[in-house]
Amino acid sequence: MKKTIVLLFVVLAGLRAYSQQQFPFDVKVTGQGNKSIIFIPGLTCSGDVWDATVARYSKDYTCYVLTFHGFAGVAPDDTASFKDWEKDVAQYIVAKKISQPLIIGHSIGGGMALMLTADYPDLISKIVVVDALPCLAAIRNPSFIANPHPDCTPFITQFTAMNDHQFYNMQKQTMPSLMADTVHLKEVLQWAVTTDRKTMAEIYCQFLNTDLRSALSKITCPSLVLLEHAFANIKPGIAEQYKNLKNGQFEYATKGLHFIMYDDPEWYFNQLDQFLN
């Protein structure tokens, strides 16, 4: 009897600790559909990048929109780990009892969707990858070999050494290469300049040292990969990176840049409608 009581306390303590786990992201929940979508934004972005997508699908889906700590003005954690973030998303799905969600991820969020589905194939029903590659560094160097323990100090030093004006100018000069849409440009720029620079540097560095090309073979669910218009010029390289994704559908946007949901919204929603239905 005494052993049974002790064991019960141990189990309850474990469940209590699990339920009170602090996740490295804020979550905004919208809609009450029987099916669920988890939205993962890209580097420095707020979950608000998905506002139009959530508005379109929240009638039929419960939408869980993530914003990672340190991004877009959200207070950072002491450390940031791309791999740990991925594990925490999986734990969140289990803790909240979200049954077979669809994952939609943009940029590094798309990379995380691929990693998540490869590592936890039984958790996910479908994924949509918005302009992301399984190995970003392999675009320039197809024989790239990832460093599992990269030294991110140079990136951290580079980003944190800038004053606010220098960092703003760097982001302002970068944005036109990422999005053609001018309506949301100021908002996306604001997310970038209010992002914690150490977090940004760590995650960017770690993602550059992520290679999911071989891991794609573990993905069994239907996958939709939406790629910006310019990537159509290097289709053979894209196909080589994704060759192990056996159940993937690949579509190239008709116009625009990295932020496809802003630059080519009609095409973007047409692709999502067909895939979800």
Side-chain angles (χ1 to χ4, degrees):
M1 180 68 176
K2 185 179 294 184
K3 288 183 178 180
T4 302
I5 294 174
V6 171
L7 179 60
L8 179 61
F9 275 123
V10 171
V11 171
L12 290 175
L15 289 173
R16 189 178 300 112
Y18 190 75
S19 65
Q20 294 176 350
Q21 177 180 351
Q22 296 298 309
F23 294 99
F25 45 79
D26 292 347
V27 185
K28 181 179 180 181
V29 183
T30 305
Q32 297 179 337
N34 293 327
K35 298 177 289 185
S36 300
I37 304 177
I38 295 177
F39 292 89
I40 308 177
L43 188 72
T44 77
C45 286
S46 164
D48 293 350
V49 74
W50 300 114
D51 277 357
T53 312
V54 170
R56 190 178 185 93
Y57 298 113
S58 58
K59 294 178 182 178
D60 301 312
Y61 292 84
T62 299
C63 299
Y64 298 82
V65 183
L66 310 187
T67 300
F68 288 102
H69 293 175
F71 286 1
V74 178
D77 297 329
D78 293 336
T79 59
S81 165
F82 185 74
K83 183 63 179 175
D84 286 348
W85 283 3
E86 178 243 1
K87 292 178 181 177
D88 284 324
V89 174
Q91 289 185 0
Y92 181 84
I93 293 171
V94 174
K96 300 301 180 180
K97 299 180 181 179
I98 305 172
S99 177
Q100 291 287 295
L102 165 73
I103 307 292
I104 302 181
H106 173 238
S107 191
I108 69 165
M112 187 174 292
L114 291 170
M115 180 186 287
L116 187 69
T117 314
D119 288 343
Y120 309 95
D122 294 335
L123 281 183
I124 314 301
S125 62
K126 294 182 178 181
I127 59 170
V128 178
V129 176
V130 183
D131 212 42
L133 299 174
C135 185
L136 183 60
I139 281 292
R140 294 185 177 180
N141 177 17
S143 60
F144 170 79
I145 298 176
N147 180 352
H149 304 289
D151 178 11
C152 295
T153 305
F155 289 97
I156 296 172
T157 300
Q158 178 188 359
F159 291 159
T160 57
M162 298 181 191
N163 60 39
D164 291 346
H165 181 70
Q166 291 170 328
F167 188 71
Y168 173 83
N169 283 337
M170 182 186 77
Q171 295 301 315
K172 186 177 181 180
Q173 292 169 8
T174 301
M175 286 303 165
S177 67
L178 298 176
M179 60 187 301
D181 173 67
T182 56
V183 174
H184 297 91
L185 179 61
K186 184 176 180 180
E187 182 179 34
V188 175
L189 179 60
Q190 182 66 16
W191 294 338
V193 298
T194 56
T195 288
D196 176 68
R197 297 184 203 172
K198 183 174 181 289
T199 302
M200 175 184 177
E202 288 175 334
I203 296 301
Y204 178 65
C205 168
Q206 292 166 21
F207 186 64
L208 278 181
N209 276 280
T210 298
D211 186 352
L212 301 172
R213 288 175 290 184
S214 62
L216 297 182
S217 62
K218 296 186 289 184
I219 296 176
T220 57
C221 70
S223 307
L224 174 63
V225 180
L226 304 179
L227 296 158
E228 64 179 88
H229 179 64
F231 275 146
N233 298 322
I234 54 170
K235 280 186 180 181
I238 301 295
E240 177 64 24
Q241 284 215 18
Y242 273 105
K243 68 181 181 181
N244 290 320
L245 185 64
K246 304 304 182 185
N247 200 12
Q249 173 187 342
F250 299 86
E251 303 294 343
Y252 291 82
T254 57
K255 61 182 179 180
L257 301 172
H258 184 54
F259 283 80
I260 298 173
M261 67 286 280
Y262 289 154
D263 288 349
D264 203 353
E266 183 176 354
W267 177 88
Y268 164 76
F269 283 122
N270 185 48
Q271 302 304 317
L272 283 185
D273 288 346
Q274 293 182 49
F275 185 66
L276 268 59
N277 294 328

